[in-house]
Each structure stands twice: as C-alpha cells, then as structure tokens.
Amino acid sequence: MPVPYTEKPWEFLNEYRGKIFTGQWPTLPEMFRITVSRFPERACFTIYEPDRISINYTEALYLVESVARWLHGKGIRRGDRVAVTGKNSPEWAIAYLGTVFAGGVVVPIDYQLKNEESDLLIKTAGARILFVDEEKLDHYNENSCGLESVISLKQGLGTYIYTLNGPEAEIDKAIETDIAAILFTSGTTGVPKGVMLTHKNLVSDCYQAQGTPLIILHTDVFYAILPIHHSYTMLAVFIETISVGAEVVFGKKMVTTQILKDLKEAQVTMLLGVPMLFNKVLTGIRRGLKAKGALVFGIITFLMGISGIIKKVFKVNPGKKMFKTVLDKASLSSVRICISGGGPLAPSVFRKYNQLGIDFVQGYGLTETSPIITINPVEQYKETSVGRTCPGVDMKILNPDERGIGEVIVKGSMVMLGYFNMPEETAATFTPDGYLKTGDLGYMDSENYLYLTGRAKNMIVTEGGKNVYPEEIENEFQLFEEIDQILIRGFVLDQKLKTEGIEALVHPNPEYKNEKGNAISKDEMKAKIENIIHEVNQTLQPYQKINKVEILDKPMEMTTTKKIKRGNL
C-alpha cells in the first residue's frame, strides 16, 4: 500500500485551484502558468554558447504562447500529435511546451536515431508537424513522412522557432486526463511501442517525487546533459524545474571536460545523470587522489569513511567542508544533490559520493510510470536500495521466491494510459487487478524501500537451479579503472537441463595507464582483467562466480542513456 507522508510539497496548488485549474492536478500548461505567476523574473532556460544566454519565466511564457498560436493557426487541435527531435536546447523546451499549450500531444524523438528510424516513429505516431535540429532539416524537407510542416529549432535554417506567432484564438485546452506525450521506448525495429502519458501522469509524478522528501528550491540550477527526449530527463530535470521556478541549463555534449566546465560556470546545484556519468567523475576524482601518493590517498580514504559514518549516524554532513578542495577541482562544490537514474548504480559508488559530502540520491522508474516511482531520501538513504516508494505509489512483489524476490508491480496516478494503438500489448502489461508489470525483479523491506536484483528477462538459472541476477554481479566492477564496460550473461551449459554458466564480456578502458602513467600492452591488460575477475569471484556466492571471460576489442553498443544494449549481443 502507499506510504503515508506528512509533507506534501504540492499543497500550495490549493490556492490556484478554481483560478488557474479545476482538476485534481493542473495540466502542464496550467502548472507552467502557476510557476510564472510565482517567479516571473527567475531565469528559466539557459545555455552557454560559450557566453550565457538565458530567458526568464515571463519571456518563456510569451514564446510558448506564440508557438501555441502558430500551431493552432496551422490546424493543430486538441489531441493532434507534434514531433520534436533535436539536441537539448531552450528551443526544444519551447517547442515541447508550445505543443501542449496548443492542446496537442508532443512526441519527443531521440535525435541520435538514424533517419529511417525517426521516420518510422513519426509515421507511427501520425505526427502532423515536426520541430527538428538543423542537421536533419534537409532530410525532412525532402521526405515528408506525412508531415504538413517541418520547422527548424535553430536560427538561419528554415523557420526559426522564436519568430513563430499566430493570431489570437480560442484554443481548446487539454484537460488533465488527456495525453500530453507519447514516448517511444527501446526498440526501433519492428513495431515501435509508444507510451501514452497524460498530463495527470506527468504532473502528479513530478510533485509526488518531491514528497519523498526531495527538497527542490526555486533557487536551484538543474543541468540537462542527458537526452531530454528520454522520460528520465524530461520529468526529473525539465518538468521538475518548471514546477518550482528553478533554472535549467542545457548541456551541449556528453564529454566529461565540457560537463565539468558547465557545472562550474553555471554553478549547478542539481546534477542528474546515469551511472556511467557518475562512475567516470568518481574515477577521475580517485585518479587525482592516487596521483598524490599512497599515503595521501590512504588518509583521504580513511577520512571519507569517517565522514560517511557521521553523515549516516548523526545526519550531519561534514564532507562538504572536509573535501572542499577535492570537490572544487571536480567542479562539484556548488552541487547540492546528485540524482542517479536510468539504470542500476553500484552501492560502492553511491557510498563514495555521500562520503565526499554530496547528498547523493538514487531513484527508480520506467517510461511507463512517468517515470519516477521510488527515491532514496537524502536523510534516510539506504545504500543498497533504489529508494522508498513515492507518495501515491502502490507497489507489490509478484510471486516472490524464498528470498522475497519477484516481479515489481505498481499502481498509481503516474502509471501510463497504455501503448499507442496497441490494445493487446497494453492488456498484457497489466495484471488482472490493474497493476503494471515492470519486468524488473526485486524485493521490498518493511519500510517500503525497494531493492532491485535485475531484469526478469536477464536472469540466469545455474546448474544448481539457483537464480543469478547479472546486474548484481556487474555492480561489483564499477570502481575498477581498468574496465570500460562489463556485461554479465548466461551461456548454455546443458541444453537438456536448460542450465546456464556465467560469462563476462569485458571491454577494457582504452585510456587506462599504469602507475607510471604509461599505456600497457594487450597481454598486460588481459592479465589485469583476469586478476580482477578472480578478485571479485572471491567475494561472490559460489553459484554467482564467473566461469568464462571474453575480452572485447570494440565497445558494446549503448543506448542514449548509456546502458549496454544486451539484445544486440
């Protein structure tokens, strides 16, 4: 059952009910109008090119309403689909909001997809208008895909979005139960799955995530470095930001040096990323500390341990002052909270950031749940958990085994309406009593904290009949600099008995250097990795031990949120 919470960060909405909105939750346009009325001069959307260019909430509302009127003039009506594809930018955000202000349904598309893959999603969604970055503009000017208009998100190429405007009109506004967005999940081959998320899904999830409690302030600066079309960034960065009047800074590229530069210049306070990003930043910090010598590294590691104990036991955070120099060098001194999502984070990485004095939060969810359904509270975090269920989330474990592990199933206002034009697939995703089947395996403790063990489809059944979860083993390798990527999978040991052995696919870190700062040979790297596998095996249960290793010359293909595409191997 949902956990009772005393703090409700959305209580302030009551003073706007009956004035700006009438439903249980405001729609996205109503939410944005409320925020503009509260913080009209606060910076809203910002980018560094390389100098800071920013628009405040009042200016953003003017642009959004202008785009909405233009879309209405082009025939877009309530429920019509408008696609948006491009790199993270204020223009992307204006196109998104302009669409929902016009009563339309926004279809965010991964800009890294090949043209033919994007074409398929546009046709599947039945989008009438497309907002697109300049590199794909020519393609869509030549290939209509059934589109009525193609609009550039950048100046000087086609129609510039900031110049769009239309005559005053009576727009048929969306209501909270209307679809706000259709997000296509993995798999762009075959028949794409479009997740239909309503205004209520997105807005309720946005506010209820803050009730964990996760304190977000209007003075915060969020950093949008992960692709904004993805549900995690779209909700946890973009929509969360505009719900409280904070500022969102759009990052240009997923390059560590650029990220650190942006963090320092923008004085980012809320850094949301995927495990790979946080692993890389932590690896850089540890490498810098090791360069100071074994004695210094040992002392700082010891002090980090003390800092972590003080923080966990006494709820005091000494690390921010103790390691100020380290955090300054890593451009993290302004960061209030780091949030990791989009995949499993190793508890060891979670622990190190908290020891350094950063309030580090891990969350869990999926596109079908808008996406956030659990968050690890800053004051009551559990290092091995992905967090406590958010207010309004009804979570259960389906058919638990002897360890209490089963499939995670959920109900709540954040659960999707269904898959676009796919009634059979939608029905198959829900239990007879209306719970969404997540496909993730895990267990819960008595305080409603969730512990994930892996994806159901990735589970390995060993010779002794034991269930092994690859993600649990992969987590043990996250702090080894020698490894760039690791994937654990099963291989057939006995076809008749349907038993599996455990195999590790490893791509070595091409930038790894030895203690003297020199590159090492392939044979030396192979020996190092075999030693690491042996070391980790000693810490695993007998049935979890890796008994086959393949070292790869090329990195494994990854999604835009930096997860390895297991199905491609």
Side-chain angles (χ1 to χ4, degrees):
M1 293 295 293
V3 179
Y5 286 77
T6 53
E7 293 184 26
K8 294 182 179 178
W10 55 89
E11 287 287 351
F12 78 94
L13 291 173
N14 287 332
E15 62 186 278
Y16 298 94
R17 187 174 276 108
K19 300 173 186 174
I20 292 182
F21 75 102
T22 55
Q24 180 187 2
W25 296 97
T27 61
L28 286 169
E30 290 164 345
M31 183 186 78
F32 193 69
R33 288 187 191 280
I34 290 169
T35 300
V36 174
S37 72
R38 298 173 74 205
F39 306 104
E41 302 303 317
R42 172 75 181 146
C44 182
F45 302 138
T46 301
I47 196 163
Y48 288 80
E49 297 206 0
D51 299 321
R52 183 176 184 271
I53 301 170
S54 186
I55 55 176
N56 65 29
Y57 273 88
T58 300
E59 292 164 335
L61 179 60
Y62 171 80
L63 293 169
V64 166
E65 290 179 329
S66 298
V67 170
R69 287 194 301 272
W70 181 86
L71 288 167
H72 187 270
K74 285 288 183 180
I76 294 299
R77 297 293 182 267
R78 184 175 160 194
D80 287 343
R81 272 85 64 198
V82 175
V84 183
T85 185
K87 294 183 288 294
N88 292 5
S89 67
E91 292 88 351
W92 193 103
I94 297 294
Y96 182 107
L97 288 172
T99 298
V100 294
F101 265 69
V105 177
V106 67
V107 184
I109 294 175
D110 184 353
Y111 81 94
Q112 293 183 11
L113 293 177
K114 295 173 184 174
N115 287 339
E116 56 270 25
E117 294 173 327
S118 297
D119 295 351
L120 175 61
L121 300 187
I122 290 167
K123 289 174 183 174
T124 301
R128 293 178 56 191
I129 289 178
L130 170 69
F131 290 99
V132 61
D133 261 6
E134 66 272 20
E135 68 264 24
K136 292 191 176 185
L137 186 64
D138 288 343
H139 170 77
Y140 286 106
N141 280 333
E142 294 167 8
N143 304 276
S144 73
C145 294
L147 294 162
E148 296 166 19
S149 296
V150 179
I151 313 301
S152 172
L153 289 174
K154 293 292 180 184
Q155 192 169 16
L157 291 162
T159 304
Y160 183 42
I161 187 172
Y162 285 2
T163 66
L164 299 182
N165 209 333
E168 292 296 328
E170 283 294 321
I171 292 174
D172 186 12
K173 298 172 184 175
I175 60 174
E176 63 175 325
T177 52
D178 284 348
I179 301 167
I182 296 175
L183 276 64
F184 285 98
T185 60
S186 54
T188 52
T189 55
V191 182
K193 266 185 182 175
V195 175
M196 298 184 291
L197 298 177
T198 65
H199 288 267
K200 182 178 180 178
N201 288 154
L202 295 168
V203 174
S204 69
D205 195 47
C206 159
Y207 285 116
Q208 288 176 165
Q210 296 172 39
T212 43
L214 176 64
I215 299 168
I216 301 175
L217 309 170
H218 75 275
T219 51
D220 275 319
V221 179
F222 282 72
Y223 187 47
I225 185 59
L226 300 175
I228 200 169
H229 75 273
H230 191 274
S231 61
Y232 172 40
T233 312
M234 192 182 82
L235 190 289
V237 178
F238 174 48
I239 295 175
E240 288 286 2
T241 297
I242 62 175
S243 77
V244 298
E247 176 184 8
V248 58
V249 173
F250 295 92
K252 292 179 185 176
K253 25 181 153 167
M254 192 83 160
V255 177
T256 307
T257 51
Q258 180 67 50
I259 291 170
L260 297 181
K261 184 171 179 287
D262 285 347
L263 292 178
K264 186 166 282 188
E265 286 188 7
Q267 289 293 286
V268 169
T269 63
M270 301 288 289
L271 176 58
L272 285 82
V274 290
M276 190 187 83
L277 171 65
F278 291 116
N279 291 345
K280 284 194 170 186
V281 172
L282 183 60
T283 297
I285 292 172
R286 286 166 59 83
R287 189 185 299 122
L289 294 175
K290 284 179 179 176
K292 297 180 183 296
L295 179 61
V296 172
F297 181 71
I299 291 171
I300 291 179
T301 301
F302 173 75
L303 291 174
M304 282 172 63
I306 298 296
S307 166
I309 291 169
I310 293 171
K311 186 176 185 190
K312 191 137 180 83
V313 176
F314 299 103
K315 313 298 182 191
V316 177
N317 185 4
K320 201 85 171 175
K321 289 183 178 177
M322 289 171 67
F323 306 111
K324 185 178 186 307
T325 305
V326 175
L327 295 174
D328 274 340
K329 195 163 185 183
S331 302
L332 295 175
S333 57
S334 66
V335 174
R336 239 180 16 94
I337 298 175
C338 285
I339 301 178
S340 180
L345 180 83
S348 55
V349 175
F350 185 88
R351 189 178 305 118
K352 296 289 183 195
Y353 276 99
N354 274 294
Q355 289 173 348
L356 282 168
I358 291 177
D359 286 332
F360 200 92
V361 174
Q362 183 171 199
Y364 161 69
L366 52 161
T367 304
E368 288 86 344
T369 59
S370 301
I372 307 171
I373 47 179
T374 72
I375 290 182
N376 229 329
V378 169
E379 300 296 329
Q380 296 172 290
Y381 65 86
K382 298 188 181 185
E383 291 165 351
T384 55
S385 170
V386 292
R388 186 171 62 184
T389 52
C390 296
V393 175
D394 182 358
M395 181 179 288
K396 293 181 179 180
I397 302 300
L398 188 64
N399 301 323
D401 64 12
E402 69 278 0
R403 284 177 60 189
I405 296 172
E407 184 175 6
V408 180
I409 59 174
V410 292
K411 257 186 190 179
S413 59
M414 68 295 301
V415 173
M416 68 169 182
L417 197 61
Y419 295 116
F420 182 64
N421 286 345
M422 301 178 83
E424 290 181 8
E425 288 80 356
T426 299
T429 307
F430 287 88
T431 63
D433 53 350
Y435 283 81
L436 175 81
K437 295 186 283 187
T438 67
D440 288 312
L441 298 171
Y443 61 95
M444 296 175 72
D445 66 17
S446 59
E447 296 180 291
N448 273 29
Y449 282 75
L450 176 66
Y451 302 78
L452 290 181
T453 53
R455 292 288 290 170
K457 63 183 180 182
N458 298 336
M459 189 177 73
I460 302 165
V461 181
T462 66
E463 198 170 11
K466 291 283 189 181
N467 294 341
V468 173
Y469 307 101
E471 293 87 348
E472 286 186 322
I473 301 174
E474 289 163 1
N475 278 342
E476 300 298 319
F477 292 89
Q478 298 308 316
L479 292 180
F480 289 98
E481 286 185 55
E482 297 89 338
I483 293 175
D484 177 43
Q485 296 174 317
I486 184 163
L487 181 137
I488 303 296
R489 67 179 182 183
F491 67 95
V492 178
L493 270 180
D494 190 309
Q495 191 72 48
K496 285 185 179 178
L497 295 176
K498 291 185 167 48
T499 57
E500 300 174 282
I502 300 172
E503 176 182 27
L505 303 183
V506 181
H507 179 250
N509 179 1
E511 297 175 5
Y512 177 77
K513 293 180 173 56
N514 62 19
E515 292 76 12
K516 295 180 180 178
N518 300 321
I520 64 174
S521 69
K522 255 188 178 182
D523 288 342
E524 287 175 303
M525 180 58 87
K526 183 182 177 191
K528 273 189 171 292
I529 287 173
E530 286 174 348
N531 285 337
I532 290 169
I533 298 286
H534 177 73
E535 180 185 332
V536 171
N537 265 345
Q538 304 315 303
T539 68
L540 299 172
Q541 295 295 327
Y543 60 87
Q544 292 178 309
K545 292 186 188 298
I546 297 163
N547 40 40
K548 185 179 177 184
V549 181
E550 183 180 347
I551 297 175
L552 308 174
D553 292 327
K554 294 181 180 178
M556 291 171 271
E557 191 179 354
M558 304 185 85
T559 67
T560 49
T561 51
K562 305 304 175 186
K563 288 188 285 190
I564 295 169
K565 292 185 176 180
R566 291 179 184 266
N568 291 4
L569 298 166

